[in-house]
């Protein structure tokens, strides 16, 4: 089961929740990050990811969302996880200032996410959506999910 959301966590908006999809919107505030991570971890566990993969997924979500909050000045961050044929997609979208995907970025955030995902066959894509950014973390589905 997904974690319970307490009343004091105002601003967290579960937009959709089904057997193979969860989508949430949080304010651009670091205090909401643990709620987001917890939901993503619970969903990823439910659909068959192993403990080591769960850790890498959770750290990737932390990196992506915290970067948005720290650097983009976003008012809101949307995190969606969905199961499709052969893959699981985790998409982080924000309404912040974005960045130039072609530019060299001084930090290690995107490289760290990419390295974590590559450990189990995943990829990272990003797109400037003006305003904001869209990061797509794509992972191969486990045998029990996402198969046609």
């Amino acid at each position: 089961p997904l974690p319970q959301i307490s009343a004091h966590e105002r601003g967290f908006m579960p937009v959709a929740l089904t057997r193979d999809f969860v989508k949430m919107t949080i304010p651009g505030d670091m205090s909401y990050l643990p709620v987001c991570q917890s939901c993503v971890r619970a969903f990823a566990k439910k659909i068959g990811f192993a403990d080591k993969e769960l850790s890498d997924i959770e750290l990737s979500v932390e990196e992506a969302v915290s970067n948005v909050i720290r650097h983009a000045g976003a008012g809101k961050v949307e995190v969606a996880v969905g199961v499709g044929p052969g893959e699981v997609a985790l998409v982080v979208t924000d309404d912040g200032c974005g960045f130039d995907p072609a530019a060299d970025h001084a930090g290690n955030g995107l490289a760290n996410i990419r390295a974590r995902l590559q450990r189990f066959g995943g990829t990272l894509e990003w797109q400037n959506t003006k305003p904001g950014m869209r990061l797509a973390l794509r992972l191969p589905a486990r045998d029990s999910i996402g198969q046609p």
Side-chain angles (χ1 to χ4, degrees), residues 74-135:
K76 67 178 180 176
V77 183
E78 181 180 280
V79 179
V81 185
V83 178
E87 80 169 6
V88 175
L90 192 153
V91 179
V92 178
T93 309
D94 69 81
D95 63 356
C97 65
F99 64 89
D100 180 0
D104 183 30
H105 301 285
N108 295 319
L110 295 174
N112 289 341
I113 294 171
R114 179 176 281 125
R116 285 186 190 105
L117 298 176
Q118 286 176 340
R119 288 182 202 152
F120 49 101
T123 61
L124 173 65
E125 304 162 8
W126 57 85
Q127 174 186 15
N128 194 330
T129 57
K130 297 182 184 176
M133 291 297 292
R134 180 180 178 274
L135 295 178

Side-chain angles (χ1 to χ4, degrees), residues 42-56:
F43 187 80
K45 185 173 184 171
K46 175 182 166 274
I47 60 175
F49 285 94
D51 286 342
K52 175 57 180 151
E53 295 168 329
L54 292 172
S55 177
D56 283 337

Side-chain angles (χ1 to χ4, degrees), residues 10-68:
R10 300 183 204 292
F12 173 81
M13 299 294 297
V15 177
L17 175 62
T18 67
R19 183 180 65 79
D20 56 3
F21 181 79
V22 63
K23 180 174 157 182
M24 66 204 84
T25 303
I26 61 171
D29 178 333
M30 287 294 244
S31 66
Y32 292 93
L33 180 58
V35 176
C36 181
Q37 287 176 283
S38 180
C39 285
V40 169
R41 181 180 181 88
F43 187 80
K45 185 173 184 171
K46 175 182 166 274
I47 60 175
F49 285 94
D51 286 342
K52 175 57 180 151
E53 295 168 329
L54 292 172
S55 177
D56 283 337
I57 291 167
E58 190 172 16
L59 288 169
S60 294
V61 169
E62 177 181 351
E63 186 78 47
V65 173
S66 66
N67 280 349
V68 166

